[in-house]
C-alpha cells in the first residue's frame, strides 16, 4: 500500500487546480491512499475544496499565522514533521512546489523526483530532462520515502463530488523568522489563467513593442483564450514575466495553442508539446515552430492578426 | 559581507541539439560542446556585481565533478571570480550530496551568500539551492530576478507563477537565479590570460565529509514522442476553416 501526502497549493483563499492534478498522479500509484495537507492561516475554504476531490481519503489542515504566505523555509519543517506516516509526499511542479518540495526532501534526507510525467511503479516514474528532449525512467530507492513534484501539464484534474473528512493537525515545529514575505506584484487580468486555459494565444519578439503586443490580447479576447509569450517577448518588455511559456517558464497543455511571431526555440517548444492543436503564424517559412505545428500559416502577423480577430469575433 | 560562493555546473551547451544514445543509456555527451550552465553564469555575474559595488570582498567559483570542469572554472575566473574550487567526483553525484558539498564549503569559507542557478539545463531538477537552504538552516530566495543587498539582509524579487514576489532574507542566505536577473559579461582575451594565474584548488569529495543520500537511479533514457508537421494553409480563411474542421472554434 502507498500512503500519499499531497501538499495543497493555494493563494490564501482558493485551492489551485494544480492540486487536483497531483491527486490524479497519486491515484496512479498502486494501492494509493491519498491525504491532502493544507497549510494556511485560515484553511477552511481551501480544505473544503480539497475534500471534494475524488480519491482523497482525508484533508489535513495546519493553521498557523506564519502559514499565511508561502515561504518554503516556514512550510517545509511542518510538512516534514508529519511526513513520517507516508510513503510518498507530492507537490505540484509549479513555482510554489519547485520552491518548497526539494526543501522538504532535504529535511527528510532524500533526493526528489522532479516533474513526474507518468507513474511506472510505486518507486518508478518517467520525467523529462534536457528541456524535454529526452525522457528518463527513474527509480527512487526502495525503503525510503519518495518526495516528488508532479508535472501538471501531464495530468488531468481529478473529478469532484467527494466529501473527504477534514482534520485539524497541530505541529509544535519551531519556525524560522529569517525569511520575510514583502509582497506580490500581480498583473490583474480577467482572462483565463494561462496554466489552465483551454485555449492560449501567445506572442513572440516579432510583435515588436508592448503596444503592438495588444494585438495578441485582442485575438485572445475574441477566442476567450489565455495569453502566453516567448522568452524573447518577455525579455523585451512587451509583457509580464508570468506569461512566459517554456523550459524556464510555464509548461502548458491547452486544447488549442496559437503561436504568433514565435520562431520556436527548443526551450519554448518544451512548454507546449502537450498542447492539443498547435497553430503557428510566422512570416519566416523556415521557422522551427512549423515543424511541430498542426496548422501553419506563413504571413505577416500585422495583416493576419486583425483579420483573424475579426473572423473569430 | 566577506565572501560569495557561486556554483558553476559543466553542461552540454544550450545550443546543442542533444541526441539520446541508441542503447537508451543516456544522452550523448562525447564530442559535444560543453559550457557553463547558463543560469550559473547569471549567478556568477550577480556575485561579481555585488563585489564590484562593495557588497562583498571575494567571489569563489565552485564546480563539482570530473577534472574537465576545470575549463568552466577557468571561464568563471576569466569572468572575474577571485578563485575557484573543484570538488573532484568521478561518477554521477546526486543533488542532495551536491547541496551537502555547498553547505560544507559555505561553512568552511564563512560565506555570506551562495548564489546558484535555478536549475541546470541538463537534468532540469531545480533542487540543489532549496536543499542547501534546508541543510544549512539558512533562508532561500529562489527564481530571483532582482537582488538588493542592505547590510545583513537581502531583498529579492522572485519570478513566480502569479507574478513578481518580493521577500527579505537575513544573510547568510541561498539565492537561486532566474534568466532576467542580469546579462552576463563577455570574457575578454586579457582576462583569460589573467585567469590562468588565479588559484584553482582541487578538493576530494571525501575531504568535505559529505555523506551521499540514497540516489535516484536512472533506468533508461528515450527520445520523446515527436509531434508531426501538419498542414499549411494559405490565408486566414483557410486557417479558420481548418480550426472549424477540428471543432476548435
Amino acid at each position: 500500500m502507498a500512503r500519499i501526502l499531497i501538499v495543497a497549493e493555494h493563494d490564501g483563499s482558493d485551492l489551485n487546480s494544480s492540486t487536483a492534478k497531483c491527486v490524479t498522479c497519486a491515484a496512479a500509484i498502486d494501492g494509493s491512499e491519498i491525504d491532502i495537507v493544507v497549510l494556511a492561516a485560515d484553511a477552511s475554504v481551501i480544505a473544503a475544496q480539497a475534500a471534494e476531490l475524488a480519491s482523497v481519503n482525508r484533508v489535513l489542515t495546519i493553521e498557523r499565522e506564519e502559514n499565511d504566505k508561502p515561504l518554503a523555509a516556514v512550510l517545509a519543517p511542518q510538512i516534514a514533521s508529519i511526513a513520517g506516516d507516508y510513503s510518498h509526499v507530492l507537490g505540484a511542479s509549479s513555482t510554489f512546489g519547485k520552491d518548497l518540495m526539494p526543501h522538504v526532501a532535504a529535511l527528510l534526507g532524500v533526493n526528489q523526483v522532479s516533474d513526474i510525467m507518468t507513474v511506472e511503479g510505486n518507486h518508478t516514474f518517467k520525467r523529462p530532462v534536457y528541456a524535454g528532449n529526452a525522457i528518463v525512467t527513474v527509480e527512487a530507492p526502495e525503503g525510503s520515502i519518495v518526495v516528488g513534484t508532479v508535472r501538471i501539464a501531464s495530468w488531468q484534474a481529478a473529478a469532484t463530488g467527494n466529501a473527504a473528512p477534514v482534520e485539524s493537525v497541530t505541529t509544535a515545529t519551531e519556525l524560522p523568522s529569517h525569511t520575510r514575505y514583502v509582497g506580490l506584484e500581480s498583473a490583474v487580468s480577467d482572462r483565463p489563467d494561462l496554466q489552465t486555459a483551454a485555449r492560449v494565444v501567445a506572442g513572440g519578439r516579432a510583435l515588436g513593442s508592448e503596444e503592438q503586443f495588444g494585438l495578441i490580447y485582442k485575438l485572445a479576447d475574441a477566442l476567450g483564450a489565455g495569453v502566453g509569450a516567448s522568452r524573447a517577448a518577455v525579455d523585451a518588455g512587451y509583457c509580464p514575466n508570468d506569461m512566459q511559456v517554456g523550459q524556464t517558464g510555464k509548461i502548458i497543455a491547452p486544447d488549442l495553442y496559437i503561436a504568433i511571431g514565435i520562431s520556436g526555440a527548443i526551450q519554448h517548444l518544451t512548454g507546449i508539446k502537450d498542447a492539443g492543436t498547435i497553430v503557428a503564424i510566422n512570416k519566416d517559412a523556415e521557422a522551427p515552430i512549423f515543424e511541430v505545428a498542426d496548422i501553419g500559416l506563413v504571413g505577416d502577423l500585422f495583416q493576419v492578426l486583425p483579420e483573424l480577430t475579426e473572423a473569430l469575433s | 559581507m566577506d565572501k560569495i560562493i557561486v556554483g558553476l555546473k559543466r553542461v552540454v551547451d544550450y545550443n546543442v541539439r542533444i541526441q539520446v544514445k541508441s542503447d537508451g543509456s543516456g544522452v550523448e555527451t562525447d564530442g559535444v560542446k560543453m559550457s557553463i550552465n547558463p543560469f550559473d553564469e547569471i549567478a556568477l555575474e550577480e556575485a561579481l556585481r555585488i563585489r564590484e559595488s562593495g557588497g562583498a570582498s571575494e567571489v569563489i567559483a565552485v564546480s563539482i565533478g570530473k577534472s574537465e570542469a576545470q575549463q568552466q572554472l577557468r571561464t568563471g575566473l576569466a569572468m572575474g571570480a577571485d578563485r575557484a574550487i573543484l570538488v573532484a567526483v568521478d561518477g554521477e553525484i546526486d543533488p542532495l550530496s551536491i547541496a551537502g558539498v555547498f553547505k560544507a564549503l559555505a561553512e568552511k569559507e564563512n560565506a555570506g551568500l551562495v548564489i546558484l542557478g535555478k536549475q541546470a539545463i541538463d537534468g532540469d531538477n531545480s533542487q540543489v539551492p532549496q536543499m542547501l537552504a534546508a541543510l544549512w538552516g539558512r533562508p532561500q530566495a529562489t527564481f530571483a530576478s532582482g537582488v538588493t543587498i542592505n547590510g545583513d539582509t537581502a531583498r529579492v524579487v522572485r519570478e513566480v507563477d502569479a507574478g513578481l514576489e518580493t521577500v527579505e532574507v537575513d544573510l547568510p542566505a541561498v539565492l537561486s537565479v532566474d534568466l532576467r536577473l542580469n546579462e552576463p559579461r563577455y570574457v575578454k582575451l586579457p582576462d583569460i590570460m589573467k585567469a590562468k594565474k588565479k588559484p584553482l584548488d582541487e578538493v576530494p569529495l571525501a575531504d568535505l565529509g559529505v555523506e551521499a543520500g540514497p540516489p535516484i537511479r536512472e533506468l533508461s533514457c528515450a527520445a520523446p514522442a515527436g509531434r508531426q508537421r501538419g498542414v499549411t494553409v494559405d490565408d486566414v480563411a483557410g486557417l479558420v476553416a481548418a480550426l472549424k474542421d477540428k471543432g476548435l472554434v
Side-chain angles (χ1 to χ4, degrees):
Chain A
M1 197 177 79
R3 296 205 63 205
I4 302 173
L5 180 67
I6 293 171
V7 182
E9 176 171 2
H10 61 83
D11 60 4
S13 17
D14 288 298
L15 188 69
N16 189 294
S17 62
S18 66
T19 304
K21 297 182 177 186
C22 291
V23 169
T24 305
C25 174
I29 295 171
D30 258 355
S32 56
E33 188 182 298
I34 303 166
D35 290 354
I36 295 179
V37 62
V38 179
L39 296 100
D42 174 0
S44 50
V45 174
I46 303 156
Q49 291 168 346
E52 290 179 10
L53 296 173
S55 320
V56 172
N57 178 50
R58 285 190 307 170
V59 176
L60 310 176
T61 59
I62 306 180
E63 293 182 300
R64 290 176 73 152
E65 232 10 82
E66 298 94 326
N67 293 345
D68 190 37
K69 299 296 180 196
L71 295 171
V74 169
L75 303 183
Q78 301 173 65
I79 297 163
S81 77
I82 61 166
D85 293 341
Y86 295 92
S87 58
H88 298 67
V89 185
L90 301 178
S93 187
S94 53
T95 53
F96 166 76
K98 284 181 182 175
D99 184 48
L100 173 62
M101 300 308 291
H103 198 117
V104 173
L107 292 178
L108 297 172
V110 295
N111 283 291
Q112 172 184 283
V113 182
S114 298
D115 304 316
I116 296 171
M117 297 172 76
T118 65
V119 171
E120 305 290 315
N122 282 18
H123 285 72
T124 315
F125 310 92
K126 283 194 174 156
R127 63 171 300 261
V129 294
Y130 288 94
N133 288 297
I135 310 297
V136 288
T137 305
V138 296
E139 184 183 60
E142 287 290 336
S144 294
I145 190 167
V146 176
V147 177
T149 58
V150 174
R151 183 178 182 272
I152 46 184
S154 298
W155 301 91
Q156 299 288 323
T160 53
N162 191 6
V166 176
E167 296 171 21
S168 172
V169 176
T170 47
T171 58
T173 320
E174 203 179 311
L175 302 179
S177 59
H178 54 44
T179 308
R180 295 168 292 278
Y181 180 91
V182 177
L184 175 69
E185 192 187 308
S186 207
V188 184
S189 166
D190 295 333
R191 295 187 182 91
D193 175 51
L194 172 58
Q195 253 162 330
T196 51
R199 298 164 170 179
V200 171
V201 177
R205 196 204 311 262
L207 269 301
S209 70
E210 187 179 359
E211 194 190 356
Q212 287 167 356
F213 199 87
L215 293 168
I216 298 290
Y217 298 125
K218 280 188 189 153
L219 176 58
D221 291 345
L223 278 166
V227 176
S230 69
R231 178 190 165 193
V234 177
D235 282 358
Y238 303 165
C239 56
N241 69 285
D242 51 19
M243 287 187 188
Q244 186 176 321
V245 172
Q247 181 185 20
T248 65
K250 287 178 178 151
I251 311 279
I252 58 173
D255 298 333
L256 173 63
Y257 185 77
I258 306 183
I260 296 159
I262 292 176
S263 64
I266 51 170
Q267 290 83 1
H268 183 77
L269 299 182
T270 192
I272 58 169
K273 62 174 55 173
D274 295 313
T277 297
I278 296 176
V279 174
I281 300 170
N282 203 299
K283 71 175 177 195
D284 175 12
E286 304 300 315
I289 188 82
F290 287 117
E291 296 294 325
V292 299
D294 300 286
I295 307 171
L297 173 56
V298 180
D300 179 358
L301 69 92
F302 294 108
Q303 276 175 11
V304 170
L305 264 181
E307 247 186 86
L308 183 59
T309 306
E310 171 84 37
L312 296 174
S313 291
Chain B
M1 143 180 41
D2 201 15
K3 298 173 188 175
I4 302 177
I5 290 178
V6 172
L8 300 182
K9 185 176 185 186
R10 174 184 166 91
V11 298
V12 173
D13 187 87
Y14 80 103
N15 281 314
V16 171
R17 228 173 222 277
I18 64 114
Q19 300 290 334
V20 174
K21 288 183 193 167
S22 53
D23 66 356
S25 65
V27 164
E28 191 57 71
T29 53
D30 278 356
V32 170
K33 186 183 178 200
M34 304 295 282
S35 298
I36 297 175
N37 177 40
F39 291 96
D40 300 350
E41 263 188 313
I42 295 168
L44 175 55
E45 177 64 36
E46 196 63 20
L48 296 175
R49 290 184 189 189
I50 293 168
R51 187 195 64 194
E52 285 159 2
S53 64
S57 56
E58 189 179 36
V59 173
I60 307 165
V62 174
S63 197
I64 301 162
K66 297 180 184 135
S67 59
E68 288 92 335
Q70 285 192 12
Q71 290 167 15
Q72 281 63 44
L73 288 173
R74 285 289 169 207
T75 305
L77 292 169
M79 276 180 72
D82 297 287
R83 62 187 167 95
I85 300 170
L86 174 65
V87 179
V89 180
D90 245 351
E92 293 287 313
I93 179 166
D94 60 288
L96 186 62
S97 303
I98 294 169
V101 167
F102 279 107
K103 173 185 183 251
L105 289 172
E107 285 174 345
K108 187 173 160 212
E109 301 285 353
N110 202 15
L113 274 175
V114 179
I115 312 184
L116 304 168
K118 80 162 179 179
Q119 73 196 72
I121 60 164
D122 50 4
D124 283 333
N125 271 311
S126 192
Q127 295 183 15
V128 171
Q130 299 88 315
M131 289 178 158
L132 168 59
L135 299 180
W136 195 16
R138 296 305 310 168
Q140 73 187 41
T142 53
F143 326 139
S145 67
V147 176
T148 315
I149 307 293
N150 304 305
D152 293 335
T153 65
R155 193 169 267 244
V156 181
V157 179
R158 307 179 54 231
E159 290 202 0
V160 295
D161 290 339
L164 296 172
E165 182 190 284
T166 305
V167 294
E168 187 183 65
V169 295
D170 293 339
L171 301 181
V174 182
L175 305 184
S176 95
V177 304
D178 217 319
L179 292 171
R180 276 174 284 276
L181 178 59
N182 61 50
E183 248 183 75
R185 63 196 64 187
Y186 286 102
V187 171
K188 298 186 207 80
L189 189 61
D191 297 328
I192 296 173
M193 303 309 289
K194 256 192 279 179
K196 288 185 178 162
K197 294 189 187 123
K198 290 184 181 176
L200 193 166
D201 295 327
E202 204 167 310
V203 181
L205 180 65
D207 283 14
L208 295 170
V210 173
E211 269 181 58
I216 286 168
R217 279 200 311 137
E218 191 174 308
L219 303 180
S220 64
C221 179
R227 290 187 77 106
Q228 300 296 318
R229 190 185 185 115
V231 298
T232 305
V233 294
D234 296 327
D235 50 22
V236 167
L239 174 54
V240 173
L243 288 172
K244 283 195 172 143
D245 212 33
K246 285 174 174 274
L248 289 165
V249 292

